Amino acid sequence: MEKTRLVEKDPKLRKDDGIVITGAGGFIGGALTRRFHDQGFTRIRAVDKKPLYEWYQRVPGVECLSLDLSNEDNCRRACEGAVEVYQLAADMGGMGFIERFRVECLRSILINTHMLEAAYRAGARRFFYSSSACAYNTQLQQDPNVRALKESDAYPAMAERGYGWEKLMSEMFCQEYWAERGMKTSIARFHNVYGPNGTWDGGREKAPAAICRKVIEAIDTGTGRITIWGDGTRTRSFMYIDDCLKGIDAIMHCDDLIATPINLGTSEMVSINDLVAKVEKIAGVKLKLEYDLSAPVGVAGRNSDNTFIKQMLHWEPNTPLNTGLRATYQWIKEQYHARKKGQRVVE
Ligand code: NAD
């Protein structure tokens, strides 16, 4: 018989409670660190494997540690005194990375297993895990006009090889740390997050950033053309970073969502061709598109069914793609031109 665990009410989170954010040298972890800092939290520990000078954002007043969290001792060090842990560290990137480096993606299981155990031993009250839409059954994503994915579509399981299976397995760890050990865990399945301060070059970037960069480059060099991965018909939804941060906070602090995976994404599905057209419009150009059919492209279509999040939080990510893209394009343009002048930039 299924047992329902009694959810004890937490004491109110104090501004000097210990908050640990991992993957904080990267895109979402960096933005989350800034958000907590701006909200007045005073004991934030930000952790990432990268050396500090490579972090996308360094927030003043935050304790920043460069630690490899696939190592158990480092996870214990990271979690000392933690009240809440936000686990965003993962070896990941866009399709170009996750299709080529499945071993690296799978090895993120070490980070998640050690971080969960370390958070539990440190007596952390809550643990947030950043899962992904790549955990969904790929057989349900074989058409560009796909039905949006609802939370139950992860099973029967046939996740994206490597990255998606690691996410699914780590979700299960989170669920069992709650069921067996009583640590409150929260699991959000992110759908493509984009925005300023994300990866925009170097091989790990995702479609919105890559397209912005290519358009900026085409204008700057005067080629008048860009190369698109695939035939442009694949569909996805894209969530702006501000919505992602708001969703993380709301999901983490909702007692009805403990150990319950939930979509965190928009339901505004567009094709890659649509995305390119939007960026062209922002840039004020029309370019010749060349399609590289041998490039990694992932599933044919993917969208987020937001019925559950609307029911639970009375909210869903809602920044219009045009608005978020405009801010992202502007930021990448600044980075591009700063790099050209020889200045150090985030990539
Ligand atoms: P990111 O690559 O910008 O950040 C991840 C960070 O983790 C990097 O800075 C990296 O150095 C760090 N890291 C990797 N291995 C580590 C290790 N062994 N020890 C310590 N740090 C390590 O990626 P992001 O876009 O900020 O993603 C954050 C999380 O959200 C990840 O778990 C990712 O899988 C998940 N996610 C992101 C998206 C998206 O569209 N960005 C979509 C779905 C899920």
Side-chain angles (χ1 to χ4, degrees), residues 32-137:
L32 192 64
T33 304
R34 185 167 295 282
R35 178 183 163 99
F36 280 121
H37 174 266
D38 292 350
Q39 286 177 345
F41 287 90
T42 55
R43 281 187 52 229
I44 305 169
R45 182 178 300 136
V47 188
D48 200 287
K49 171 171 82 165
K50 293 193 283 208
L52 297 180
Y53 62 85
E54 284 184 16
W55 289 30
Y56 293 173
Q57 301 197 52
R58 289 277 302 282
V59 184
V62 166
E63 179 189 4
C64 296
L65 300 179
S66 174
L67 295 173
D68 182 345
L69 297 170
S70 59
N71 172 294
E72 189 175 2
D73 290 340
N74 287 343
C75 290
R76 289 204 191 161
R77 165 75 188 92
C79 288
E80 276 167 19
V83 173
E84 292 193 348
V85 175
Y86 294 80
Q87 201 320 72
L88 292 118
D91 217 346
M92 62 90 64
M95 282 321 297
F97 184 84
I98 67 175
E99 284 204 354
R100 285 200 192 103
F101 299 104
R102 291 186 181 139
V103 172
E104 274 78 356
C105 291
L106 284 166
R107 282 178 59 83
S108 291
I109 197 87
L110 293 171
I111 308 176
N112 289 312
T113 49
H114 292 324
M115 278 301 295
L116 273 160
E117 181 66 17
Y120 171 70
R121 288 187 186 211
R125 221 184 273 154
R126 287 181 186 255
F127 184 99
F128 177 87
Y129 177 55
S130 51
S131 186
S132 164
C134 291
Y136 282 114
N137 189 324

Side-chain angles (χ1 to χ4, degrees), residues 1-9 120 125 174-185 255-260:
M1 203 172 66
E2 195 166 303
K3 283 184 288 178
T4 315
R5 183 182 279 275
L6 189 70
V7 179
E8 282 173 32
K9 203 126 190 71
Y120 171 70
R125 221 184 273 154
C174 289
Q175 291 176 311
E176 297 310 329
Y177 267 79
W178 164 243
E180 279 187 22
R181 302 195 185 180
M183 181 167 69
K184 290 177 181 169
T185 56
D255 281 343
D256 294 330
L257 285 174
I258 292 172
T260 308

Side-chain angles (χ1 to χ4, degrees), residues 242-253:
D242 292 3
D243 286 333
C244 180
L245 303 180
K246 189 172 170 187
I248 291 173
D249 198 349
I251 291 166
M252 177 71 146
H253 298 109

